[in-house]
Amino acid sequence: MSTTRRSALGMFGAAAGLLGTAGAATGEPSPGDLGPGGRFERFVAARAAADQFSGTVLLARHGRPVLTRSYGLANRDGNVPIRPETRIDLASITKSLTAVAVTQLVERGAVACHAPLGTYLDGYPADVAGATVHQLLTHTAGVGRPGLTNQRPPGEDAWDSVEEVWQGMSAYLRTLPLRFPPGTRFDYSNDGYFVLGEIVAAVSGQTYHDYVRRHVFARAGMSTSDFFTRPRIRADAGIARAYATQPDGSRADATSSPYFPYVGGPFTGAFCSAGDLLRFATALHGGRLLDLAYTAVATSGKQATGPQPPQFYGYGQVETIIGTHRVVGHTGSGAGRANNLDVFPDAGWVAVVLSNYDTTVRPIVDLARELVTGVRTATG
C-alpha cells in the first residue's frame, strides 16, 4: 500500500507529536513533582495563599490532565470562586487563535503569506498596504501603533456594539502611518493582528468572530470559549472579572472601568477555560486545526526575540529552546490578566496558567518548565 504525504505526516505526528506515547529523549520528569500534592502544586498554592495568584493552573500529559487546580475569586462582589470551568480573558494568547485562522486560509490557498495586505484590504496608505501577511504574523510589518502604547482611538469609549468596535478600529488603523520599513525589525504589534483579523473576515466572507467560533473553537471542541461582550462579562458568574493592581497595591475590577472594551478581537479578549485551552493545544498539535505540515509552519520560530532562553516568534506562537527541548506557546498580559500556554511537543506535556490578576505568573511558568525539562531557566 502506498503512503501519501498526509498519511506519512500523520504517522510521524502519532509517533513523536504531542499525543504520542514515547517519553522525552532526555528522560521523564518526576510525576510526583508535577502531580497532585507535588512540588508544582505546593508552589502555586503558596503563591495563592499570599494573594500573588488567582486563577487556574493545568498540567497535562499526552492530552490528559495530570493536575488541575483553581484559586481565588472570579467575582469579589459576589464572592464567586474561580473553578476549572471559569472562563478567563486570554489577553494576547488570542493572537494564537488569529494566527491559526490565517494559516487555515493559507492552507486552503485563499491567502498567501508573501502577499501584501493590500491584496485583501482596501483603504490603507500605499506603504502600509505593502506589508506582507508574513510580516504581520511575525510582528515585523511596522503597521499600527507601537505595541506598548497608551494611545487610544478617538471616540473608543463610545463604541457600544461589536459592529462599532470593528468599524471604529478598522477606520482608525487606516489613518496611521507606517512606523518603519516592513521586515526591518521586530516590534510587537497588537494592531498588526487586528489587520490579520480583517483579512480573515474579508477572505472568508464571515465576521472574524464567527470564523474563529466555527473553524477554531468548534473544531477544537472548545465548547465554552467565546468573545464575550462587556454586558455579558459583568453579568455571568462563570466569567472571571479582571482585577488590576492599583498604585497603592490594592486590586480593582477592570471590567467595571469605563475604559474596558466592549468586546475583544484578533489580538486580545477571547475568554477561555484552562480545559478549553488544553483542547486548543491538543487540536493544533494533533493536526485537527491545521495539516501537520502547516502546524509546523505556524509553530516554528522565524524572528529572534530573546537571547536567554533563546526565543523566536512564529505565527502567533513563541518557540523557546530550553536545553534540548522545544517549548511552543504564547503569553498574555494586561490589566488584571497574566496568562501562559506552554506546549512541550517532544515531552508530551502542556502547561496552562490563566490568572485574573496582573501579578506576574513567570515564577509558576518557570517552575513548570524546570520540572518538565530538567533545566532551570535563567529567570527561574
Side-chain angles (χ1 to χ4, degrees):
M1 182 177 66
S2 64
T3 301
T4 66
R5 176 173 173 272
R6 179 181 288 271
S7 64
L9 286 165
M11 288 187 287
F12 174 81
L18 177 66
L19 300 180
T21 57
T26 55
E28 295 288 351
S30 168
D33 285 337
L34 293 160
R39 182 179 168 192
F40 180 80
E41 181 183 359
R42 295 196 304 271
F43 181 77
V44 178
R47 289 187 66 83
D51 201 34
Q52 295 177 311
F53 178 74
S54 172
T56 297
V57 295
L58 184 156
L59 300 178
R61 188 162 183 264
H62 304 319
R64 296 184 177 183
V66 171
L67 178 75
T68 305
R69 293 291 184 267
S70 297
Y71 307 87
L73 296 175
N75 185 335
R76 292 185 171 192
D77 292 339
N79 200 35
V80 178
I82 292 178
R83 299 181 174 89
E85 63 270 20
T86 299
R87 280 72 57 84
I88 296 175
D89 187 348
L90 294 183
S92 281
I93 297 178
T94 305
K95 293 182 177 70
S96 298
L97 310 176
T98 300
V100 166
V102 173
T103 310
Q104 286 175 342
L105 296 172
V106 172
E107 184 178 329
R108 283 171 38 192
V111 170
C113 290
H114 69 279
L117 73 89
T119 305
Y120 310 105
L121 303 174
D122 296 327
Y124 280 96
D127 54 352
V128 175
T132 67
V133 172
H134 170 83
Q135 289 162 347
L136 290 167
L137 285 163
T138 56
H139 300 284
T140 59
V143 172
R145 298 163 292 179
L148 300 178
T149 183
N150 291 321
Q151 178 183 346
R152 302 176 70 231
E156 183 181 19
D157 297 346
W159 299 345
D160 205 30
S161 70
V162 175
E163 293 74 20
E164 286 182 3
V165 170
W166 194 263
Q167 293 168 7
M169 276 297 297
S170 297
Y172 173 64
L173 292 181
R174 284 163 171 76
T175 70
L176 300 180
L178 195 67
R179 289 186 294 111
F180 55 83
T184 60
R185 72 172 194 253
F186 176 89
D187 193 356
Y188 192 83
S189 174
N190 287 331
D191 291 343
Y193 265 71
F194 187 92
V195 176
L196 289 168
E198 285 193 285
I199 292 173
V200 169
V203 172
S204 70
Q206 305 168 44
T207 70
Y208 165 81
H209 297 100
D210 281 347
Y211 183 93
V212 172
R213 288 178 183 123
R214 296 171 184 173
H215 299 278
V216 181
F217 293 158
R219 286 173 62 175
M222 302 166 69
S223 60
T224 66
S225 300
D226 208 343
F227 293 89
F228 298 117
T229 63
R230 183 170 58 218
R232 172 73 183 275
I233 294 166
R234 293 173 175 173
D236 192 330
I239 301 172
R241 303 290 186 94
Y243 290 101
T245 306
Q246 304 303 295
D248 64 0
S250 64
R251 302 183 194 276
D253 181 359
T255 66
S256 66
S257 165
Y259 303 113
F260 189 76
Y262 184 82
V263 71
F267 60 83
T268 190
F271 280 77
C272 187
S273 68
D276 266 5
L277 198 54
L278 171 61
R279 293 180 188 95
F280 169 75
T282 304
L284 175 60
H285 289 266
R288 289 191 286 118
L289 292 177
L290 297 167
D291 181 278
L292 286 170
Y294 280 95
T295 298
V297 168
T299 61
S300 60
K302 297 162 180 61
Q303 181 70 32
T305 63
Q308 291 297 329
Q311 288 189 335
F312 309 88
Y313 205 93
Y315 288 172
Q317 302 278 332
V318 178
E319 181 181 33
T320 304
I321 307 302
I322 299 178
T324 60
H325 292 262
R326 293 177 66 235
V327 185
V328 178
H330 211 286
T331 61
S333 62
R337 296 161 294 169
N339 308 314
N340 194 80
L341 170 64
D342 274 349
V343 177
F344 302 81
D346 57 336
W349 285 87
V350 175
V352 174
V353 183
L354 297 179
S355 177
N356 66 334
Y357 282 0
D358 45 28
T359 303
T360 181
V361 296
R362 178 51 53 185
I364 297 173
V365 173
D366 285 344
L367 180 58
R369 289 180 171 185
E370 176 185 340
L371 294 175
V372 171
T373 66
V375 178
R376 185 175 177 85
T377 63
T379 58

